[in-house]
Amino acid sequence: PAQIWKNARKNLRVALESGLRFWKCEDETDKIKAYEVIRQNREERGFPLRMTWEQVSKTLKFIKADFFLSSNSDKELIASAIVFHVAKGIVQVVYWGDIPKYASLKTMNFLSFKVFEYYKSKGIDIVDIGISTVNSEPNHGLCEFKESIGCSIQPKYSFSYNTGEIERSNVL
């Protein structure tokens, strides 16, 4: 298994000493708050948010999901995660993020540690923390962060079905 890098351990120590809190959301109000933290993160960082709350909510009718929130010692919401159960023993972080002005608290190190800890306690074997590319181009900073918190990089293949006509010469 991959090891947590020294700087990630230091960042986690900073977060743990900052009095941050972490909990699983139990009601829709908190789930919406978790989504809003992620929306704000994406907006402030200039990244797209591909699903509206309404789309996430509709998806929950078909896929089990967990929502998590973190707050600072002043009880301000600072980070959140939305995690889908995609197969037996496998969950996937669909969205997670922090409020950028609180990044000095090492909120993402804290959030990732707590999410991993939570699923380990539930006997989940794999926590897929998602892709690290944009239009197939690696985001090297994101890859490095994920490796630093103990994750291993794996290729993720995608398959698509071409609905156009198949030329006879292409058929084996």
Side-chain angles (χ1 to χ4, degrees):
Q3 296 293 316
I4 297 175
W5 295 1
K6 183 178 180 179
N7 67 322
R9 286 193 307 272
K10 181 183 78 131
N11 290 344
L12 180 58
R13 200 168 26 259
V14 167
L16 293 172
E17 292 170 358
S18 297
L20 304 183
R21 291 182 51 238
F22 171 86
W23 67 96
K24 182 179 176 195
C25 302
E26 298 298 336
D27 60 39
E28 186 169 5
T29 301
D30 275 355
K31 292 175 182 181
I32 292 170
K33 288 177 185 177
Y35 177 86
E36 284 300 313
V37 168
I38 292 162
R39 186 198 56 71
Q40 184 177 343
N41 166 276
R42 298 300 170 93
E43 183 177 291
E44 289 185 25
R45 298 188 71 208
F47 296 138
L49 184 58
R50 308 247 187 248
M51 293 175 74
T52 64
W53 168 251
E54 290 74 24
Q55 291 168 323
V56 170
S57 184
K58 285 180 183 177
T59 302
L60 300 178
K61 294 175 183 172
F62 304 100
I63 298 176
K64 180 182 175 190
D66 298 318
F67 291 69
F68 301 96
L69 278 164
S70 290
S71 65
N72 63 12
S73 57
D74 294 330
K75 299 183 179 168
E76 296 169 294
L77 300 178
I78 59 170
S80 67
I82 301 173
V83 183
F84 286 179
H85 290 252
V86 294
K88 185 174 171 53
I90 302 173
V91 295
Q92 181 178 24
V93 176
V94 176
Y95 289 124
W96 64 1
D98 63 353
I99 304 297
K101 73 179 183 179
Y102 297 109
S104 63
L105 297 175
K106 307 305 180 190
T107 50
M108 290 308 296
N109 291 83
F110 177 78
L111 183 65
S112 60
F113 174 77
K114 288 298 194 176
V115 165
F116 298 155
E117 183 180 65
Y118 175 84
Y119 286 114
K120 182 177 182 180
S121 77
K122 299 295 181 189
I124 298 294
D125 297 323
I126 297 172
V127 178
D128 178 345
I129 62 171
I131 61 171
S132 303
T133 60
V134 176
N135 297 324
S136 299
E137 289 294 320
N139 177 328
H140 296 288
L142 186 54
C143 290
E144 188 172 294
F145 170 75
K146 290 177 177 185
E147 285 182 292
S148 79
I149 61 173
C151 295
S152 59
I153 295 176
Q154 303 288 325
K156 191 172 247 184
Y157 301 104
S158 64
F159 299 89
S160 59
Y161 178 77
N162 181 349
T163 59
E165 289 187 38
I166 298 173
E167 293 182 23
R168 189 170 191 79
S169 61
N170 290 341
V171 178
L172 297 177

